[in-house]
Amino acid sequence: MSYEPSGEDFLSPCLAEADFMRRVLDPPAFGRWLSEFLPGVPGTADSAWLAPAVVTDRADPKLAHIDGLNLSRAWMLEGIAKGLKAGDRRVPVLRAIAMRHREAALPAVTGEHYEGGHWLGTFAVYLTSGAGIAK
């Protein structure tokens, strides 16, 4: 996670791997796997862990990817939370961090700049529809 964002990412490799693993492991096994894979998930939602990335210029085609990164992080964090057992202390933390990413990126889903406007809508639909959350 320390290499994110590189400056033009639109997907998180680490969160994508974890989101995949929650689809193939049952909740107890996934919880154990996640503890080893992402041991830095904090115990409280007020942590600064995995803050939304900041887009400094939405008209820059590479930097516009950062809004996509925030949207994809949000949907992957929601999926990861869904894959954990009910009562796992990480669930409310992951959901709160997902909400921060959602709030940071959804306002950018406009037609104002072609660089993000032509594709961010698909990420927003994936996030807001909950596609991929059900097992």
Side-chain angles (χ1 to χ4, degrees):
M1 300 299 298
S2 62
Y3 292 107
E4 292 180 22
S6 73
E8 55 192 73
D9 315 346
F10 56 89
L11 292 172
S12 165
C14 292
L15 294 181
E17 184 173 347
D19 191 37
F20 170 78
M21 293 303 290
R22 67 108 179 152
R23 296 167 193 249
V24 297
L25 297 173
D26 63 33
F30 176 63
R32 290 188 300 275
W33 179 89
L34 189 63
S35 293
E36 293 293 320
F37 185 70
L38 286 176
V41 175
T44 61
D46 61 355
S47 168
W49 183 78
L50 199 61
V54 176
V55 182
T56 55
D57 182 2
R58 288 191 166 91
D60 182 297
K62 290 184 179 183
L63 295 177
H65 285 169
I66 301 301
D67 283 318
L69 176 66
N70 286 331
L71 290 169
S72 67
R73 279 179 172 179
W75 87 58
M76 291 178 203
L77 288 163
E78 289 177 0
I80 293 164
K82 177 76 173 172
L84 294 169
K85 290 186 333 188
D88 188 302
R89 66 160 182 79
R90 296 170 289 189
V91 170
V93 173
L94 292 168
R95 287 188 176 143
I97 294 169
M99 184 57 70
R100 286 197 287 268
H101 282 78
R102 173 189 288 254
E103 291 169 348
L106 277 179
V109 181
T110 68
E112 183 178 1
H113 299 290
Y114 176 79
E115 292 74 14
H118 73 281
W119 65 276
L120 283 174
T122 58
F123 276 39
V125 167
Y126 197 83
L127 170 63
T128 60
S129 70
I133 297 296
K135 285 189 170 185

